[in-house]
Amino acid sequence: MFRMRSSRRGSFRGLMLLAICLFACHELFVVSTSPTAYVDAAGVDGGSLVADHGVKIACLVVVLSFFIISTEPQPASPPPAEAVLEKRADYNKVLIFSAYLAWLSGFVNAVCILQMGMTVAHHTGNASHTGRLWGIDAQRFAMSIVGFWVGAAVAGYHKCSGETLYCGRWSPALLSSGIAVAVAVILQHDGAGPLVSVPLFAFSQGLQNAVTRKHSAVPICTTHVTGYLTDFGSGIGAWARGMVDGSGPGLRRPMFFALSFFTFGLGGYAAKKSSDEYGVQAAYIPAALMMITALGLVPMSPPKEAKA
């Protein structure tokens, strides 16, 4: 009984903290909104109910995600005994599934670039744009950064497991990410504008990446791959040196980074082909796949138990 009350109190305090963050973001949005920050929403000439209440709808999705993620089973899925990525028995599973998640993120990110001129999965450029356009048109980039941060914060508050996704089990965080993408598509398509839809797209990516980075073998980044390019180059360099002196590592780790880098770009290619036909609604494809995967419908074997 005491634990249940403590859990409820913790959830209430977390929700209150989230509400304060959302209120602050809302005030920032209202104060900083300027006509120059908007890109026309696809296919909408006038306002609509969704457009008029877009900020409230986006905030409700974040609150809903907070409660959905709290349903993740505890204790979390146990990691295999071997902690080194390239030596794990489930290396191939982690390799393919990480590449699949990178493809989904690359798809979402490219749709936002093509339809709204914004990135939502990585924020190095957004940070630079926020700085150079401060006082002019920085809010659209700043709100994308804030959305990503809030997604990561929600995942961190609930201590989401980095193993659950890779075991094919119920993943409320990825479900929430898919829902956020789907609602962001609706908001953008119905006229709410990028200042509302882009932070929600970014929120979905922050959620996904915060979960995968908790993987026990290596912090897996599925929404941005700049670091992966570094790791791939460094790994190939170490492998090449090993070919000379016979003491270098193998190719399993650098190939892990290379495949995710490639599939992230492949997601962009798929986004271009589909968004030419469907516009921002092309993002329904990764949204649906996220939700299907989150329900554990992708056949994955559980991790092997550690030997006594």
Side-chain angles (χ1 to χ4, degrees):
M1 181 66 71
F2 177 76
R3 289 182 179 178
M4 185 177 296
R5 288 179 179 175
S6 298
S7 178
R8 289 176 179 174
R9 288 175 183 172
S11 296
F12 177 75
R13 291 170 183 168
L15 184 59
M16 290 299 296
L17 181 61
L18 178 62
I20 292 171
C21 291
L22 291 176
F23 177 77
C25 292
H26 178 270
E27 291 303 304
L28 174 64
F29 172 84
V30 171
V31 171
S32 64
T33 298
S34 68
T36 60
Y38 280 95
V39 178
D40 292 337
V44 177
D45 297 325
S48 67
L49 181 64
V50 171
D52 293 340
H53 300 281
V55 176
K56 297 182 181 68
I57 292 171
C59 289
L60 284 174
V61 171
V62 174
V63 172
L64 176 64
S65 298
F66 181 88
F67 284 110
I68 292 176
I69 296 171
S70 68
T71 66
E72 181 166 316
Q74 297 294 333
S77 304
E82 179 57 65
V84 180
L85 174 65
E86 54 268 35
K87 295 181 179 180
R88 285 174 56 141
D90 62 346
Y91 168 83
N92 289 331
K93 180 175 67 176
V94 176
L95 172 75
I96 299 301
F97 200 70
S98 295
Y100 164 69
L101 292 175
W103 181 84
L104 292 176
S105 183
F107 197 128
V108 171
N109 193 58
V111 168
C112 291
I113 292 172
L114 292 166
Q115 298 299 317
M116 291 161 277
M118 293 292 299
T119 60
V120 295
H122 49 91
H123 298 280
T124 306
N126 285 341
S128 295
H129 291 312
T130 299
R132 75 180 182 86
L133 294 172
W134 190 261
I136 303 172
D137 189 21
Q139 62 271 24
R140 54 180 171 147
F141 300 103
M143 292 305 293
S144 181
I145 294 171
V146 170
F148 191 95
W149 177 85
V150 171
V154 169
Y157 180 85
H158 288 292
K159 300 180 180 179
C160 296
S161 170
E163 300 291 332
T164 300
L165 266 176
Y166 293 87
C167 300
R169 295 178 179 172
W170 156 243
S171 176
L174 191 63
L175 177 64
S176 298
S177 182
I179 292 172
V181 171
V183 175
V185 170
I186 294 171
L187 291 173
Q188 177 64 21
H189 185 264
D190 285 6
L195 272 179
V196 180
S197 62
V198 165
L200 194 55
F201 276 118
F203 171 80
S204 77
Q205 299 304 287
L207 264 179
Q208 176 180 313
N209 200 58
V211 173
T212 59
R213 281 188 60 83
K214 292 183 179 181
H215 195 272
S216 61
V218 64
I220 298 173
C221 296
T222 57
T223 68
H224 54 281
V225 291
T226 303
Y228 275 18
L229 187 59
T230 301
D231 293 332
F232 175 54
S234 176
I236 290 297
W239 171 81
R241 178 58 183 264
M243 294 293 290
V244 174
D245 59 25
S247 62
L251 287 173
R252 285 190 125 196
R253 183 174 284 258
M255 287 302 105
F256 174 86
F257 299 125
L259 182 60
S260 288
F261 188 95
F262 173 75
T263 56
F264 189 89
L266 201 60
Y269 178 80
K272 176 64 170 70
K273 291 297 183 180
S274 55
S275 64
D276 283 348
E277 181 71 23
Y278 302 108
V280 72
Q281 290 179 308
Y284 280 135
I285 297 171
L289 290 173
M290 285 178 189
M291 288 185 272
I292 291 171
T293 305
L295 294 174
L297 300 180
V298 176
M300 304 284 284
S301 58
K304 296 181 180 179
E305 298 292 336
K307 294 182 180 179

